[in-house]
Amino acid sequence: MENQIIILRLGHRLPRDERISTHVCLVARAFGASGVFYSGQHDSSLESSVSSIVKNLGGNFSISYEKNYSNLIKKLKNDGFSVVHLTMYGIPLPEKLDKVKSNKKLLVIVGAEQVPKNVYELADFNIAITNQPHSEVAALAVFLDRISDGYYLNNIGFKDAKISIKPNEMGKQIIR
Ligand code: SAM
């Protein structure tokens, strides 16, 4: 995929978001993003579990904590990133897909708790994956899949993986 995509996960709460923030990172990596920034509470165990997945299953993917998410958004905008905030209050993705896709560098923001108003204002696009409430993991997966035209559905392994999976009709086969 040509686009460079970075994710910002807002408002990580311990212990409540441990699993869901990990899943945000796993979806981001599997569907072609180059890294995740997260704000809220610092969580070294989130960082080490994501780093361990990358170490074993490969991919060029980073995770970093960012205390001041507004500064990060502004900095990445200055670096040429367009900002997409995923929210059920936004415009349905099909209406904006071509416009969003035309940006080569994207910062994609997902929330946890109530998302502050300035995020809506800093975003270039407030995008809904349906205007119904669901989950940041689902919203991110659908968004990344649509933006990449399903490219990563065929990703059976990253080049630098120590471990990869051989697709199988039945059972599990791991290649080391
Ligand atoms: N109550 C929070 C609020 O008012 O902002 C949202 C909580 S929701 C569980 C967490 C995140 O999931 C949202 O911030 C958003 O990024 C994402 N999300 C949930 N439903 C969505 C939808 N229909 N479209 C896009 N993103 C969605």
Side-chain angles (χ1 to χ4, degrees):
M1 194 173 55
E2 286 168 40
N3 308 58
Q4 185 191 352
I5 301 181
I6 294 175
I7 313 302
L8 170 59
R9 196 290 190 267
L10 296 174
H12 178 68
R13 299 159 293 184
L14 283 168
R16 182 177 165 154
D17 291 323
E18 279 171 346
R19 252 172 87 77
I20 205 136
S21 295
T22 305
H23 287 189
V24 164
C25 296
L26 296 183
V27 162
R29 174 186 165 275
F31 286 86
S34 57
V36 170
F37 288 98
Y38 72 99
S39 67
Q41 287 180 266
H42 183 257
D43 184 353
S44 34
S45 135
L46 170 68
E47 294 176 16
S48 59
S49 59
V50 171
S51 302
S52 143
I53 296 275
V54 174
K55 197 171 151 213
N56 289 311
L57 289 149
N60 189 9
F61 186 85
S62 60
I63 175 163
S64 316
Y65 178 69
E66 181 57 56
K67 195 179 169 97
N68 190 329
Y69 68 82
S70 297
N71 281 356
L72 176 72
I73 297 170
K74 288 174 195 157
K75 181 189 172 300
L76 289 174
K77 282 182 91 153
N78 279 338
D79 291 348
F81 280 79
S82 291
V83 178
V84 176
H85 168 222
L86 297 180
T87 165
M88 67 173 176
Y89 303 104
I91 305 296
L93 179 60
E95 285 182 38
K96 295 283 178 184
L97 186 59
D98 289 344
K99 243 186 172 172
V100 172
K101 262 183 172 175
S102 68
N103 295 280
K104 295 293 167 225
K105 301 207 282 187
L106 291 175
L107 173 67
V108 183
I109 304 175
V110 293
E113 55 198 349
Q114 190 156 15
V115 173
K117 192 164 172 254
N118 75 328
V119 173
Y120 292 77
E121 292 163 354
L122 285 167
D124 298 295
F125 303 95
N126 286 290
I127 295 292
I129 308 296
T130 80
N131 291 102
Q132 302 298 321
H134 49 82
S135 141
E136 49 273 53
V137 177
L140 185 61
V142 170
F143 177 81
L144 293 176
D145 183 60
R146 292 295 165 110
I147 211 86
S148 63
D149 294 320
Y151 179 84
Y152 288 93
L153 295 180
N154 293 312
N155 178 12
I156 57 166
F158 290 95
K159 281 192 187 123
D160 56 343
K162 286 186 189 158
I163 299 170
S164 57
I165 289 160
K166 186 166 186 301
N168 233 296
E169 293 281 1
M170 201 180 287
K172 303 177 186 175
Q173 201 173 343
I174 290 172
I175 303 165
R176 288 169 200 280

